[in-house]
Amino acid sequence: MSPLLEADSLSVFAGRKTLIDRVSLSFTPGQTVAVIGPNGAGKSTLLRALSGEIRPQSGQVRLNGKTITSYLPHVLATHRVVLSQQINITFPFTVAEVVGMGANGEATAKTEASIDLVLAELDLLELADQPINTLSGGEQQRVHFARVLVQHAHGQARDGCGIMLLDEPTANLDLRHQLGLLDIAKRRALRGALVIAIFHDLNLAALFATHVIVMNRGCIDSHGPPEETIIDKMLERVFEIETAVSQLPESGAPFVLPQRMIVAQHFRAESDQA
């Protein structure tokens, strides 16, 4: 299968600091990809580069074989959707109005039906007429995810499978809505979408992903299926944590227990010396 999205030797700098260092990746339709790594590893920068939001100092991103910079913004918006980490709306738009922004101003019966369907899917129908700035953080997160889903459906109808880029999509959500969001994203992938999401919770990443990318200090430490990447040695090497990764007997999916984690011995020694 031909790659849908490719990163070819991407490097991004901020002054003298290297945010991403010669990263190369390739993605195909139907994948669910989790990007994990410690704070400052370059995860969000990578997502912004893949989306075309920022231009790397070297290397390039290709979408359907074409450089992403060759797409006009309104065309690019039909191929990929982005859920950013922080979104602030100061005007009192209603939930339905914010979600409807994903339809790019279209007000057809089909669009209205799509908006209602997504509102129901994310338990937002009862909040449809409520101003978004009166909602809790978790409720607002679900509203913005709903907007992204409407934009994705709108673009998918025109251009095919599409790409969803999600930066910490489960932040601020309760347990039920975390699992619900993952299920919705995975169902979109089953219909052909490529979904790439950043996670801090390794258990959610393992539950979600067919493929995991581990980033550390702007580089790709490792990548592959969850059971091959979320392992003891990686946690010690990248997160400086000592623990024993377990696996679910029915699926082999890895999981970690915070109660069994300790700071790696070599890191404790360095901290004591400092």
Side-chain angles (χ1 to χ4, degrees):
M1 184 181 295
S2 298
L4 175 60
L5 185 66
E6 300 171 272
D8 184 7
S9 196
L10 295 185
S11 292
V12 178
F13 306 101
R16 294 184 178 182
K17 184 176 180 181
T18 301
L19 303 181
I20 296 179
D21 188 14
R22 294 169 292 181
V23 168
S24 295
L25 294 162
S26 178
F27 307 97
T28 55
Q31 281 187 302
T32 51
V33 181
V35 183
I36 62 174
N39 294 337
K43 302 183 297 296
S44 293
T45 303
L46 174 63
L47 211 69
R48 293 175 67 198
L50 291 174
S51 73
E53 180 184 342
I54 61 173
R55 187 187 293 254
Q57 275 75 21
S58 65
Q60 61 178 323
V61 176
R62 290 187 293 272
L63 171 61
N64 284 320
K66 296 171 54 180
T67 58
I68 201 166
T69 53
S70 68
Y71 287 83
L72 294 173
H74 72 279
V75 176
L76 185 59
T78 67
H79 286 278
R80 64 94 181 99
V81 298
V82 182
L83 179 64
S84 300
Q85 192 176 128
Q86 292 183 330
I87 306 168
N88 296 315
I89 294 181
T90 55
F91 293 100
F93 293 110
T94 67
V95 167
E97 288 171 336
V98 173
V99 174
M101 292 175 185
N104 196 29
E106 287 193 8
T108 64
K110 186 176 181 180
T111 298
E112 294 300 319
S114 174
I115 292 170
D116 288 343
L117 186 64
V118 168
L119 287 172
E121 195 173 17
L122 284 161
D123 293 336
L124 292 170
L125 274 176
E126 293 183 357
L127 302 176
D129 297 323
Q130 191 166 327
I132 189 171
N133 54 9
T134 66
L135 303 183
S136 70
E139 289 169 332
Q140 291 188 35
Q141 182 79 350
R142 283 156 49 209
V143 171
H144 289 300
F145 184 56
R147 171 181 53 79
V148 163
L149 291 179
V150 169
Q151 183 185 345
H152 175 260
H154 181 72
Q156 190 175 41
R158 292 186 175 188
D159 297 308
C161 52
I163 301 168
M164 300 176 67
L165 302 168
L166 313 175
D167 195 345
E168 297 191 41
T170 56
N172 301 316
L173 299 185
D174 58 47
L175 292 176
R176 181 170 72 88
H177 287 109
Q178 285 181 354
L179 296 176
L181 186 147
L182 296 188
D183 182 64
I184 291 169
K186 288 165 72 173
R187 280 191 270 121
R188 296 306 191 274
L190 288 173
R191 299 176 198 169
L194 164 63
V195 188
I196 305 174
I198 292 173
F199 291 94
H200 278 293
D201 188 318
L202 301 185
N203 292 322
L204 289 179
L207 185 64
F208 164 78
T210 57
H211 193 90
V212 174
I213 297 169
V214 183
M215 293 198 68
N216 191 25
R217 299 179 182 179
C219 300
I220 303 298
D221 172 86
S222 51
H223 63 93
E227 62 272 16
E228 295 178 10
T229 49
I230 302 177
I231 59 176
D232 301 0
K233 290 182 179 178
M234 182 279 289
L235 289 173
E236 183 172 359
R237 182 176 65 248
V238 174
F239 289 91
E240 298 178 328
I241 291 294
E242 293 178 1
T243 189
V245 176
S246 302
Q247 292 185 322
L248 296 175
E250 61 272 19
S251 65
F255 68 92
V256 293
L257 297 175
Q259 295 89 336
R260 297 174 63 180
M261 295 181 184
I262 61 171
V263 176
Q265 186 174 358
H266 68 86
F267 186 72
R268 294 199 305 272
E270 292 171 2
S271 299
D272 292 341
Q273 291 174 4

